[in-house]
Amino acid sequence: MSAEGPTSSTELPPPRRPKVIKTNQQQVLLYVVLTLLLSLATVWGGRTLLHNSETLTFAVGAPNSDEALFATKLATLLKNNASRFRIKIVNNADNAKALAQFDHRQADLAVLRTDAKVPLRARALAILEHDLVLLLGPGNKKIKSLAELKKKKVAVLAENDSSLAFVRSLLDIPEGADATKIQMAPQGSTLDKLFAPASGFNAVIAVVHASRAVRDKAYEQVAKRGGFTLNAIDEAKALALKFPGISEETLTAGTLSASPEIPDDDLDTIGLEWLLVSQSKMSPTTAGDLARIVYENKSALGLDNGFATHIEPASVEKDAYVMAHQGAADYINDDTKSFMDKYSDMMYLGAAALSVIGSIFAAIYAKVTRIAPEKASELATAILDIGERIEHAHSLDQLECLQDELESILRGAVIGLRDGTISTDGLDTFKLGYEFVRDEIGMRRDYLKRHSSEIEKVAALPPPHDDTNVVVVKTAQSA
């Protein structure tokens, strides 16, 4: 028989320990696979966002017109170079109707000549071609000024009727009888036929592409027969001021014919420009990239007839007849933004999105692959259990065992809080419980030290005599 209460430290229960993380290998593998899929989706989404194709509608005239053929070449170039741009070509009866479509915001791109009515929202991306105005007289006849032609019969040698209206406005001839003297040259007409006495024309005003005029050998052949005289337009500067769409041009010696040399010296005339234009609402990035593609592929975009073989940057001057698009101007001025400048905002948004997605996946991972962390308040129960056993400790050794168990719980709680296996939920309760039990152990220790001699005497006493099992036997006496 033993004294009441535990007699040795071995009779105390083992200390409670925080739960340990248990990882399921299949769940970890699933998490890794999901993480890889998320990374691939993020990369694919970013690539799609940056390189997503953009379709641009290009309004042009008839399918065989210069602007339509140029649009076709541009569309083919973009497709072959795997560009993010795609060109949708929309044909119209003529270029005037194409510009009207552009003006109604039904197209992103168009080609206009500077004598046309410029849409309000048009912005220049590039100069595709120059048209030269050639003032030609029959034989050796000199024409001193355009004013001489007001009362004379003049043939306009050009590709379309828009040049006829341009020449009439150039000569300042209003609608009426005098206007009928300015006529379009019949299709297929040559200078020989137009200057023949039977035709009755006193002069020919040719409106031709500069690139085509340089290649055309017909001028040299007619010149060898003494068929025409090329005249300067001395009013070029005044006309350029009067008509903003007109530009001053200079024909260098030998431009039209090397032998005989025509002109025999540099000669002043006027001209018009063909501009590739876009809507002003087009983003600067799109406009700049498109302008860069056009400039860097000039040789591939020129037509066989010479159109667009000398593409030039659009004028970035503020007083330009058609203002350059800001994106094209930035590229021309070498003021384009770097990759970080253009996409830094997007990258910051992407990083924020990835952070949110990562947090979501981390939460899913914690739910799927880990046991939920133990609350600090749950450990308080184990501490209070130690407190209930303090009164049964009758020796300092037993009390030390309880002290070790208490410290073990505290150590496990600190490690768990660091590793995340124990949450801070109920931490204040845990602290109060720990401090209470610690103080109880201290007071119990003081008590045992003060009454140690009495406890030892009680422990040394023999166990009390137990009479519960004594049997009383009575002896019967005989009579």
Side-chain angles (χ1 to χ4, degrees):
M1 300 295 293
S2 61
E4 184 181 357
T7 59
S8 66
S9 62
T10 57
E11 296 180 6
L12 293 174
R16 288 171 52 92
R17 297 184 181 276
K19 297 179 181 179
V20 181
I21 301 176
K22 296 182 179 179
T23 306
N24 186 304
Q25 293 182 354
Q26 293 181 347
Q27 292 173 338
V28 171
L29 178 61
L30 176 62
Y31 173 73
V32 172
V33 172
L34 289 176
T35 303
L36 291 175
L37 291 176
L38 173 64
S39 300
L40 291 174
T42 302
V43 172
W44 177 83
R47 182 179 178 85
T48 301
L49 183 63
L50 293 177
H51 299 283
N52 190 26
S53 61
E54 183 175 355
T55 301
L56 303 174
T57 303
F58 202 145
V60 296
N64 60 344
S65 63
D66 289 339
E67 65 272 15
L69 296 175
F70 171 81
T72 301
K73 275 213 165 188
L74 179 59
T76 303
L77 173 71
L78 295 175
K79 183 178 180 181
N80 292 341
N81 291 348
S83 171
R84 69 184 180 92
F85 297 116
R86 294 291 181 269
I87 298 294
K88 178 184 177 183
I89 300 174
V90 179
N91 292 105
N92 292 271
D94 52 41
N95 197 47
K97 289 184 171 57
L99 290 176
Q101 183 182 29
F102 178 90
D103 195 23
H104 290 107
R105 301 185 183 183
Q106 297 173 352
D108 303 295
L109 300 170
V111 175
L112 66 82
R113 197 172 71 172
T114 49
D115 62 322
K117 181 181 178 181
V118 180
L120 182 64
R121 289 170 290 275
R123 297 293 183 268
L125 297 180
I127 301 173
L128 301 182
E129 184 63 81
H130 289 264
D131 272 5
L132 298 175
V133 177
L134 305 178
L135 179 56
L136 307 172
N140 296 323
K141 185 176 181 180
K142 290 279 188 179
I143 300 175
K144 296 181 179 180
S145 67
L146 293 175
E148 293 182 16
L149 305 178
K150 286 189 175 183
K151 300 294 184 179
K152 296 183 179 180
K153 188 177 179 181
V154 179
V156 178
L157 189 61
E159 293 185 354
N160 50 61
D161 293 340
S162 62
S163 295
L164 176 62
F166 168 69
V167 171
R168 286 176 176 174
S169 63
L170 192 66
L171 298 178
D172 197 19
I173 298 177
E175 293 292 333
D178 291 339
T180 59
K181 294 181 179 180
I182 312 299
Q183 303 174 8
M184 282 292 296
Q187 288 292 329
S189 297
T190 62
L191 288 177
D192 287 333
K193 292 181 179 180
L194 294 175
F195 286 138
S199 68
F201 289 111
N202 302 110
V204 172
I205 296 179
V207 183
V208 296
H209 298 325
S211 55
R212 192 173 302 174
V214 174
R215 299 183 180 192
D216 195 349
K217 299 297 181 182
Y219 294 104
E220 184 173 339
Q221 295 171 1
V222 175
K224 288 180 179 179
R225 297 191 292 268
F228 73 93
T229 298
L230 177 62
N231 300 276
I233 300 180
D234 296 330
E235 309 98 313
K237 187 172 183 178
L239 291 172
L241 292 174
K242 183 178 181 181
F243 301 98
I246 292 177
S247 59
E248 296 181 67
E249 303 286 346
T250 299
L251 292 178
T252 58
T255 297
L256 299 183
S257 173
S259 179
E261 193 176 42
I262 299 178
D264 55 5
D265 197 3
D266 291 352
L267 179 142
D268 293 331
T269 186
I270 57 175
L272 300 168
E273 293 177 343
W274 288 85
L275 304 177
L276 173 63
V277 296
S278 69
Q279 295 283 355
S280 58
K281 67 177 183 179
M282 180 180 286
S283 71
T285 299
T286 298
D289 290 346
L290 195 60
R292 175 184 56 79
I293 292 171
V294 171
Y295 301 151
E296 292 179 356
N297 296 275
K298 292 185 289 187
S299 59
L301 293 174
L303 304 186
D304 294 337
N305 61 13
F307 183 82
T309 53
H310 293 85
I311 297 176
E312 303 172 19
S315 173
V316 295
E317 299 297 330
K318 293 183 179 180
D319 60 349
Y321 184 59
V322 178
M323 289 184 60
H325 194 288
Q326 186 59 51
D330 289 341
Y331 178 78
I332 295 168
N333 293 330
D334 196 22
D335 194 26
T336 53
K337 295 182 178 180
S338 65
F339 179 85
M340 288 299 297
D341 291 334
K342 290 192 292 185
Y343 299 113
S344 58
D345 293 342
M346 188 182 301
M347 292 173 67
Y348 291 140
L349 291 175
L354 286 177
S355 176
V356 173
I357 295 172
S359 299
I360 293 173
F361 266 78
I364 294 173
Y365 175 68
K367 291 291 185 182
V368 173
T369 64
R370 298 170 60 184
I371 298 174
E374 189 174 11
K375 296 180 180 179
S377 60
E378 294 176 357
L379 297 179
T381 303
I383 291 176
L384 294 177
D385 179 63
I386 295 173
E388 293 174 357
R389 287 183 285 155
I390 292 175
E391 62 179 319
H392 301 294
H394 298 291
S395 68
L396 292 176
D397 289 340
Q398 292 175 355
L399 201 60
E400 287 302 322
C401 290
L402 294 176
Q403 180 71 41
D404 291 342
E405 186 176 344
L406 179 65
E407 296 301 324
S408 177
I409 293 175
L410 177 62
R411 189 183 311 108
V414 172
I415 295 173
L417 289 170
R418 182 194 65 187
D419 297 339
T421 58
I422 296 177
S423 71
T424 58
D425 190 6
L427 185 59
D428 291 339
T429 302
F430 172 82
K431 291 168 60 178
L432 288 174
Y434 172 80
E435 292 172 357
F436 172 76
V437 173
R438 181 193 61 189
D439 294 342
E440 283 288 319
I441 291 174
M443 288 188 293
R444 184 63 176 175
R445 182 181 290 109
D446 293 340
Y447 172 82
L448 291 176
K449 287 179 179 180
R450 288 196 308 269
H451 300 84
S452 60
S453 59
E454 297 178 6
I455 294 174
E456 290 175 357
K457 291 178 181 180
V458 172
L461 291 175
H465 183 70
D466 190 357
D467 294 334
T468 58
N469 294 325
V470 174
V471 178
V472 178
V473 180
K474 293 183 179 180
T475 305
Q477 294 179 356
S478 61

